Structures are given as structure tokens and as C-alpha cells.
Amino acid sequence: MIAIIAILAAMLLPALSAARERARQSNCLAKQKQLMTGIMMYANDNKDYLPVQPGSAGQIWSISYAFSTAAGTNMFCLVESGSYFGEVPTGEKGLAGFRERYYKCPSDSVHFRPYKSNSRYSRYTSYIFWAGSGKPANKFLPRAIVGRDDPGLAILADVCKRVSNHEEVLDSVAHQTTINITYLGGHTGTRNAKAGETCANEFEGPVYCDETKMD
């Protein structure tokens, strides 16, 4: 009898584990959709421009995967400070809890972690944001505009090694074989992450995740 139970448990555990991961992946995608809603609301209030961070030399930072203080100017900070989540976090503790609720994928045990220069409430996120097609030196030519530019352009995804090789984006895959992606058109999709298929750098992420590459 004990042997039979052990065999049944061995058969059921993988299925249960897979079911839990599907639930986590669904929750992760729901967070992306909520973040995308905030991005679209920001664009609606700002002449259809995506929330991107200006650089000190007049360039545009075309990628975000971390944030610093509440007064920061990257995408995550602009969306949260504009109350596009329906709330504005206050205080160090409130900000930390807010960011874990909205920017941490349930399957991610690696990427969401303290920022190297501020371990209190500044964090790397579980998601990577591209404000259009990037190029080296954190610059890109046009600003991606909602309603004007390619609706199939990937702008938001789960952070993983297949969409970035930046030293600060650690080598992991939250969902093992898939990547959740959100597009400029506001829709979402899940792309199969094929073994051995990676980007040369984080700026190629939008190309790797482009809608035309969806399986």
C-alpha cells in the first residue's frame, strides 16, 4: 500500500508542480498587463509618448530594468508617481511593498533584488522595458509613439537571459521555456524561449520578442 501511494505521489507531483507554475505565469502576465495599462494611461496624458527617461546628454534611455528612488525618472517611477496604478506609495516601507506587489513576477526568485547601491528600497525588477528599438550607449533614434508606430513592437517582457546579457540582468529564466511579452499595441503574448537562442545584448530584446517571431 505504501509503495502504491509513493508511486502515485511520484506521478502526481510533476503535474501539480506544472499546474502551480502555470498559475504563477498567469499571475505574472496579469502584472504585466496592469503595468502596460499604466504605461498606456501615461501615454494618453503625454501626447502618446511612452514614459522614457531622459539622459544628461539629451539622449533617451531606451531600456529600464531597475529603479532608484521615488523621485526617479525611469519608466517605473514615472508610472507609479503619476498614480497610474490607482495609488501613490508613500514612505520607504510603503514604496518597497508597492514595488514588490507590482514589479515582482511570482516565478522570479533571482531578478527582483536590491539595487547594488541602495539595498533598502531600490530594486531590480522582474520585467524589462524597451522604449523602442535601442542601440549602444543607451540611445535610440525615434520615440515609440502609441497609435503611430508598430503595434507589434515588444516593449515589456519577463527579464531572462534570452532577452539580455547585461551583467546586472542575472542568468535565469523565470518560466523555463516561455517569455511573457507585452506590445506597443497594448496586447500580450507568450513566446517560446528556445534553448540556445539569445540576444547579443539587451538592446536586441525588442527584436528577439517581436510579434513576427511569436511561435
Side-chain angles (χ1 to χ4, degrees):
M1 184 65 177
I2 294 176
I4 294 174
I5 293 174
I7 292 171
L8 290 173
M11 294 172 62
L12 289 173
L13 283 176
L16 290 173
S17 179
R20 283 195 296 268
E21 172 50 27
R22 285 194 296 271
R24 287 192 293 265
Q25 184 173 351
S26 178
N27 187 294
C28 183
L29 184 57
K31 287 191 175 188
Q32 274 189 224
K33 289 179 179 179
Q34 190 169 23
L35 181 53
M36 184 61 186
T37 297
I39 291 170
M40 298 294 276
M41 291 173 66
Y42 175 97
N44 186 59
D45 289 343
N46 290 274
K47 300 180 180 179
D48 297 325
Y49 288 151
L50 293 178
V52 294
Q53 180 176 0
S56 58
Q59 79 275 24
I60 298 295
W61 289 72
S62 61
I63 189 169
S64 294
Y65 44 78
F67 40 72
S68 52
T69 67
T73 57
N74 68 14
M75 181 277 287
F76 298 99
C77 294
L78 290 173
V79 170
E80 67 185 26
S81 64
S83 191
Y84 294 111
F85 284 111
E87 62 175 303
V88 177
T90 58
E92 184 177 311
K93 186 175 181 180
L95 186 60
F98 174 94
R99 288 174 167 174
E100 183 159 356
R101 287 198 305 277
Y102 290 108
Y103 308 144
K104 186 177 189 295
C105 169
S107 296
D108 176 23
S109 60
V110 175
H111 290 294
F112 191 90
R113 66 194 194 280
Y115 191 64
K116 59 185 179 181
S117 62
N118 186 334
S119 62
R120 293 187 299 167
Y121 59 92
S122 300
R123 295 267 177 178
Y124 293 99
T125 77
S126 296
Y127 306 103
I128 192 167
F129 170 76
W130 302 284
S133 299
K135 64 179 184 177
N138 288 335
K139 299 179 182 179
F140 75 120
L141 295 176
R143 291 184 72 168
I145 295 181
V146 175
R148 184 198 72 175
D149 295 325
D150 179 13
L153 177 70
I155 65 171
L156 189 66
D158 304 312
V159 173
C160 79
K161 65 181 179 181
R162 294 187 174 94
V163 297
S164 176
N165 70 348
H166 195 285
E167 62 182 359
E168 294 176 353
V169 179
L170 302 182
D171 189 14
S172 75
V173 181
H175 305 299
Q176 300 304 317
T177 60
T178 60
I179 305 173
N180 289 326
I181 308 167
T182 308
Y183 297 92
L184 183 60
H187 55 293
T188 59
T190 299
R191 186 189 183 321
N192 289 330
K194 298 177 181 177
E197 185 184 26
T198 62
C199 292
N201 57 62
E202 67 269 28
F203 296 100
E204 291 186 1
V207 178
Y208 175 91
C209 294
D210 190 272
E211 198 167 36
T212 61
K213 294 178 68 66
M214 292 290 289
D215 298 286

